[in-house]
Amino acid sequence: MCGIVGYVGEREALQIILNSLQRIEYRGYDSCGVLVQDSNEMEIHAHKSMKSIAQLKKNLSKSKYSGTVGIGHTRWATHGVPSRRNAHPHFDSDGEIAVVHNGIIENFQELKEGPLCNCIFKSDTDTEVIPHLIHQTLKKSLIKNATLKDAVRECLPHLKGSYALIVAAKGFDGLVVARKDSPLIIGVGDRENFIASDVPAVLDQTNRVIYLEEGDIAVVKKDSIYIENDAAEVKREEILIPWTIEDAEKGGYEHFMLKEIHEEPKAIIDTLRGYLSEDGLNLGLELEVSSILMVACGTSYYSALCGKYIIEHLAKVPVQVELASEFNYSDFVLNNMMVMAITQSGETADTLMALKKAKRFGCKTVAITNVVGSSATRIADDTIYVRAGPEIGVAATKSFIVQLITSYLLGLSLANMPGRELEERIADLKRMPQLAQLVIDGEDANIQKQARYLSEYDNVFFVGRGVNLPIALEGALKLKEISYIHAEGYAAGELKHGPFALLTKDTPVIAILTRDNIYEKTLVNVKEIKARGAPVIAIAETGDDEVEKYVDRVIRVPRTSAIFSPIPNTVALHLLAYWTAKARGCEIDKPRNLAKSVTVE
Ligand code: M6R
């Protein structure tokens, strides 16, 4: 989604702004823009591009602007087509106040036709109402010597919707920022400060970060940060980000996605380390629940679906799973459930809304997220952090695997099983990093071969059963998202109820064939598929020789007890999606039309 950045300090702002924007390119964008306050001319200069930030950098390489205050924006169009005129920053009529904005102003039309009807609008965006409104407020202000911050504060209540915004004004030696339902951080430096919608944008400059909270307005200058909420000054904690910039960069891999798949074993180790010690398993929260509702979107939703099987199997506690976007407008009966929101970014608008709804209904809420200090953690009563580290590729990989790990931890924490059985399960769990690594080390070459084969097709099915049904759904989502092959995930027993009509020699089927209690039944399903002429690639355990009699190709995964099989199976499917997209020459880290964090409903 859109990204915003700002800089106030003693160095030249332009390069810092452009570099910060490049660090959040992964969020996806269709146009970009920067603005610098030229200290020589006391003017503000903006530049916009429909091409890449690299191109904008090139265009500005000979620019003579010299300024130490700047802002920047990457846009992902919501109101108004992608174009230079709609790219940010946007200005008031006198060109003195400039705004970059992430979010949506829902009542922009109303404002345009009402209090701002005499203003000349130069774009089709919702954002442009903000600088006009600030300008008008400043002019009309009854407060003697009203500051830019006062004007921003006065006009924010008129905006309906969500925003993270940075306001620059001609001649002002700082920036005013504000947030509502959209993330915004301040990177704290030495005689300089940075602003961004996401931590990686500032990480090469500082790891000292302040997360602004709902309703915060801040005035950021080179040597001061003033924050207020509800018109009163507030102090916000400075957090030290444990990631290095190297963590957030590609580390020698061609794509972030491949790097992140290779980090899956480490992410599991880090997550387990946080909650498992010699003293046993401790998630750090009270877990007395009779039933759980999990809400999430996309890949996180599939991890929730898998979590249902895992928790119900291990703990016998009933779990319901809802898509956050559906739950928000449904009549779902929330009777005294613990509501868990799973979200890698902690910023997905639908998931945040679901959390808020659960709170309104008096439910105890838990956020399961990867991002320290993200919005989800502020809304929920408790947080369980998955420790995947920064995930940059738009396709979620290592965050999905540690979300699954969290379900095992939850299941075992809730389980009422004899000590010895619990120890065995924990021992199984501790083997997961090793099993994930075995897939990466031992099967990658074969997966690349199968991927080259798969890359020739336009339609693919994924099938699985039980705890591996959500893994089939995840495999299909991952493949379609980055390779643009049409892929559908199904319960293996369901194909005969309709999708069989689509099976031909040109529709390969990836079948997860774990040796579980329904292995024989899944094998029957595979035989039915073969009988319809579709080629089958099995994901099967090492040592399962039976399977080769019935399928065309096999990807091997190490043997484990069935309930833990989603871990090696997921690693294999993530690699399969990656290598298939690579064989098709796709732009893997930034798939078309997608953004890493979906901060609008
Ligand atoms: O940050 P979240 O986990 O809340 O994001 C939810 C989805 O937008 C996300 O999982 C999306 O489906 C991924 N692109 C899938 O790879």
Side-chain angles (χ1 to χ4, degrees):
M1 212 78 1
C2 310
I4 60 177
V5 299
Y7 175 77
V8 194
E10 295 181 336
R11 294 187 282 156
E12 289 297 333
L14 184 61
Q15 282 311 316
I16 295 173
I17 291 295
L18 287 164
N19 289 344
S20 294
L21 285 180
Q22 267 180 325
R23 296 219 181 280
I24 50 170
E25 273 187 307
Y26 65 88
R27 292 166 69 98
Y29 67 105
D30 50 48
S31 52
C32 52
V34 291
L35 172 149
V36 172
Q37 283 236 29
D38 191 324
S39 353
N40 297 328
E41 297 175 25
M42 293 310 285
E43 280 297 332
I44 48 182
H45 296 286
H47 285 270
K48 303 177 180 187
S49 170
M50 282 299 291
K51 297 204 175 119
S52 61
I53 296 157
Q55 185 60 46
L56 190 59
K57 244 182 175 174
K58 211 165 147 201
N59 297 349
L60 291 170
S61 60
K62 295 206 174 68
S63 93
K64 299 213 171 51
Y65 308 134
S66 170
T68 54
V69 178
I71 57 178
H73 186 262
T74 46
R75 177 168 189 256
W76 192 76
T78 53
H79 291 89
V81 295
S83 66
R84 276 169 67 92
R85 87 187 217 107
N86 287 334
H88 299 209
H90 291 290
F91 292 86
D92 68 307
S93 315
D94 295 346
E96 295 190 336
I97 290 164
V99 170
V100 287
H101 163 226
N102 185 9
I104 290 178
I105 306 302
E106 288 162 6
N107 60 334
F108 78 104
Q109 202 57 43
E110 219 175 280
L111 291 167
K112 270 173 133 174
E113 288 162 12
L116 302 176
C117 62
N118 292 325
C119 300
I120 298 164
F121 282 84
K122 294 186 179 151
S123 78
D124 314 310
T125 64
D126 51 333
T127 299
E128 202 187 340
V129 298
I130 306 172
H132 285 294
L133 209 54
I134 297 172
H135 180 76
Q136 210 170 70
T137 313
L138 261 180
K139 277 204 304 197
K140 278 198 212 145
S141 179
L142 300 176
I143 313 169
K144 208 171 156 212
N145 297 327
T147 62
L148 183 63
K149 186 250 307 167
D150 295 330
V152 171
R153 185 174 70 203
E154 217 176 298
C155 66
L156 290 181
H158 299 283
L159 303 177
K160 283 193 194 143
S162 61
Y163 51 78
L165 49 94
I166 311 180
V167 187
K170 194 170 161 182
F172 180 54
D173 62 345
L175 296 168
V176 176
V177 307
R179 72 156 283 188
K180 178 177 170 267
D181 293 334
S182 240
L184 195 60
I185 59 122
I186 300 175
V188 184
D190 188 15
R191 293 188 66 74
E192 60 183 358
N193 290 305
F194 309 82
I195 301 154
S197 39
D198 211 348
V199 173
V202 303
L203 217 45
D204 61 337
Q205 304 288 347
T206 181
N207 67 344
R208 295 161 58 199
V209 163
I210 294 171
Y211 284 87
L212 291 180
E213 296 197 1
E214 281 300 282
D216 280 357
I217 301 174
V219 182
V220 183
K221 295 196 172 181
K222 73 175 178 192
D223 40 24
S224 67
I225 298 168
Y226 165 87
I227 308 173
E228 66 172 43
N229 198 309
D230 242 343
E233 184 172 0
V234 288
K235 294 283 171 220
R236 299 283 177 231
E237 196 192 347
E238 192 181 297
I239 290 174
L240 279 187
I241 298 295
W243 313 336
T244 61
I245 190 64
E246 287 72 35
D247 286 334
E249 285 181 343
K250 279 189 214 155
Y253 289 91
E254 190 179 347
H255 295 101
F256 280 114
M257 182 177 175
L258 186 60
K259 172 178 179 262
E260 286 158 7
I261 298 172
H262 279 242
E263 287 169 349
E264 287 182 349
K266 180 171 181 296
I268 302 174
I269 293 171
D270 290 345
T271 304
L272 290 180
R273 195 173 283 147
Y275 302 108
L276 275 176
S277 69
E278 281 174 4
D279 299 335
L281 166 55
N282 185 359
L283 279 172
L285 68 158
E286 219 174 288
L287 276 173
E288 271 180 33
V289 285
S290 52
S291 65
I292 295 173
L293 169 68
M294 288 186 166
V295 287
C297 304
T299 280
S300 296
Y301 171 72
Y302 295 144
S303 92
L305 280 182
C306 196
K308 172 182 166 68
Y309 285 92
I310 294 168
I311 295 169
E312 291 184 345
H313 177 83
L314 294 173
K316 318 288 177 240
V317 171
V319 180
Q320 278 180 268
V321 182
E322 290 285 311
L323 283 166
S325 55
E326 284 299 307
F327 168 75
N328 290 334
Y329 298 98
S330 73
D331 296 322
F332 190 94
V333 183
L334 275 159
N335 47 23
N336 205 20
M337 308 169 111
M338 179 181 258
V339 176
M340 298 191 162
I342 307 188
T343 164
Q344 185 284 132
S345 61
E347 303 294 350
T348 300
D350 291 323
T351 310
L352 297 183
M353 266 184 84
L355 263 179
K356 288 179 190 163
K357 176 171 173 178
K359 284 198 85 164
R360 278 200 309 280
F361 278 79
C363 298
K364 184 167 162 59
T365 53
V366 179
I368 299 176
T369 185
N370 190 32
V371 181
V372 178
S374 57
S375 301
T377 68
R378 285 152 205 280
I379 299 168
D381 300 314
D382 281 305
T383 298
I384 301 175
Y385 283 111
V386 298
R387 292 161 200 243
E391 189 177 71
I392 308 295
V394 165
T397 50
K398 59 178 178 169
S399 63
F400 175 78
I401 217 133
V402 289
Q403 287 169 351
L404 297 185
I405 292 296
T406 309
S407 285
Y408 293 110
L409 292 170
L410 274 166
L412 292 173
S413 302
L414 289 163
N416 189 9
M417 53 176 66
R420 194 186 170 124
E421 198 186 334
L422 184 64
E423 275 168 34
E424 278 169 16
R425 294 305 197 178
I426 289 179
D428 281 339
L429 195 51
K430 285 185 175 164
R431 271 195 291 275
M432 290 304 118
Q434 195 192 341
L435 298 199
Q437 195 64 52
L438 274 173
V439 179
I440 294 169
D441 294 343
E443 204 54 14
D444 193 38
N446 177 37
I447 294 175
Q448 290 188 41
K449 189 169 137 202
Q450 306 311 333
R452 282 192 294 274
Y453 163 80
L454 206 60
S455 68
E456 302 291 327
Y457 292 89
D458 295 324
N459 298 288
V460 176
F461 285 94
F462 286 72
V463 296
R465 295 186 76 144
V467 73
N468 281 302
L469 165 58
I471 304 305
L473 301 176
E474 162 68 1
L477 175 66
K478 218 89 308 177
L479 187 74
K480 77 178 90 167
E481 166 172 42
I482 59 164
S483 74
Y484 312 140
I485 293 175
H486 171 227
E488 289 191 48
Y490 267 97
E494 265 297 299
L495 287 194
K496 58 183 173 291
H497 298 290
F500 262 12
L502 293 174
L503 293 186
T504 69
K505 65 176 181 24
D506 294 322
T507 53
V509 178
I510 320 289
I512 303 177
L513 270 164
T514 299
R515 276 203 168 265
D516 51 18
N517 59 338
I518 38 173
Y519 172 79
E520 298 297 338
K521 302 232 178 270
T522 318
L523 211 50
V524 171
N525 298 146
V526 164
K527 289 177 197 167
E528 292 162 356
I529 291 165
K530 282 291 303 165
R532 269 86 195 162
V536 176
I537 303 179
I539 310 284
E541 289 165 3
T542 313
D544 178 359
D545 300 330
E546 173 83 359
V547 81
E548 281 175 9
K549 295 186 212 154
Y550 307 106
V551 305
D552 303 271
R553 293 159 174 267
V554 186
I555 291 170
R556 293 289 176 187
V557 286
R559 180 111 211 245
T560 179
S561 60
I563 193 68
F564 289 101
S565 61
I567 299 293
N569 291 341
T570 295
V571 182
L573 290 180
H574 283 169
L575 284 169
L576 186 66
Y578 173 81
W579 288 117
T580 308
K582 170 101 171 85
R584 286 167 71 96
C586 298
E587 207 180 324
I588 294 176
D589 284 332
K590 282 179 268 168
R592 70 180 175 219
N593 303 337
L594 295 181
K596 180 69 182 161
S597 180
V598 185
T599 53
V600 289
E601 237 196 294

